[in-house]
Amino acid sequence: MAKLKVGILISGRGSNMAALIEAANAADYPAEIACVISNVIDAPGLKIAETAGIATAAISHRGFPDRESFDRIVSAELEKHGVGLVALAGFMRIQSPWFPGHWQGRIINIHPSLLPAFPGLHVQQQAIDAGVRLSGCTVHFVTADLDAGPIIAQAAVPVLPGDDAAILAARILRQEHRLYPLVVRWFGEGRISLTGGRAIVAGVAPGAALLFSTDP
Ligand code: GRF
């Protein structure tokens, strides 16, 4: 069966992108990384993707008259590569409503908190300040509302006494690198759908869409 073609959008270091590229190197992985696009011209992740032999494009958002004009160019680039799933991975650009509308049900994001708690930025510090005992990461469908689309899967980690934002971010990131490839695998296997505003994961054990790690 043909593999699902995934387009990844990044803005920075690209460690989640690298985790997806590595997962997709396995012969039995049902998805392939078709292209990586960055809105930041010198994003370190672009180099990683190039080294891995993935098609890349750097498309600066600067110089476009509005968000949608930029989004349409990015979308055309994804379509050029036959992309069936768009994975945002540290893509730091707010999109026009047109983009998630166009890719509805075929665009996902990973966010370093247990949504709906702590959307937005500086989320690890927000979690520490709130005194929560658990945090983690969420893979969700992207909709026009920031960090608010239907949740597909989550990974939870403890928030430990003495954690600062960097320590907690690193603990969460290790789980991001497990969770994102797992969810993209499920997409490739045709298990995930968006039905009635909810994400449905079919044919996996109950609870499989929640990972829990107590690794420090
Ligand atoms: C990750 O923490 C991701 O959850 C968030 O942005 C960060 C990107 O990191 N959306 P990287 O570029 O994948 O290393």
Side-chain angles (χ1 to χ4, degrees):
M1 214 172 85
K3 293 190 180 203
L4 173 68
K5 291 184 193 293
V6 180
I8 305 178
L9 303 190
I10 64 167
S11 298
R13 75 187 157 185
S15 72
N16 277 290
M17 173 211 74
L20 290 171
I21 291 173
E22 196 189 328
N25 278 337
D28 67 346
Y29 197 74
E32 64 184 273
I33 311 307
C35 64
V36 170
I37 302 173
S38 173
N39 68 313
V40 175
I41 302 298
D42 57 356
L46 282 174
K47 290 266 173 304
I48 299 172
E50 276 165 25
T51 305
I54 311 276
T56 62
I59 307 173
S60 173
H61 54 273
R62 294 177 205 279
F64 285 90
D66 52 38
R67 288 185 194 278
E68 187 174 319
S69 333
F70 168 73
D71 287 351
R72 283 181 181 270
I73 297 295
V74 170
S75 196
E77 184 69 21
L78 291 164
E79 275 157 1
K80 194 177 97 186
H81 291 279
V83 163
L85 177 71
V86 181
L88 308 187
F91 185 62
M92 300 301 286
R93 182 82 189 146
I94 292 176
Q95 296 172 312
S96 66
W98 178 83
F99 197 92
H102 182 73
W103 290 94
Q104 194 184 16
R106 300 179 299 151
I107 178 166
I108 57 177
N109 180 44
I110 188 158
H111 180 80
S113 77
L114 294 178
L115 291 171
F118 315 127
L121 296 175
H122 312 300
V123 297
Q124 295 88 0
Q125 191 60 52
Q126 288 187 54
I128 289 169
D129 292 346
V132 295
R133 299 304 199 231
L134 277 178
S135 191
C137 54
T138 302
V139 178
H140 63 94
F141 280 108
V142 174
T143 62
D145 300 316
L146 190 67
D147 300 331
I151 291 169
I152 300 167
Q154 295 183 304
V157 302
V159 181
L160 299 173
D163 278 354
D164 60 19
I167 290 172
L168 180 57
R171 189 179 303 128
I172 293 171
L173 194 64
R174 284 193 286 278
Q175 300 310 312
E176 294 185 41
H177 297 163
R178 294 175 64 201
L179 191 69
Y180 221 5
L182 178 65
V183 171
V184 170
R185 168 183 285 281
W186 287 340
F187 266 96
E189 292 170 347
R191 297 183 188 281
I192 303 187
S193 59
L194 181 57
T195 307
R198 296 185 80 87
I200 310 293
V201 185
V204 299
L210 167 64
L211 306 182
F212 183 73
S213 168
T214 52
D215 295 349

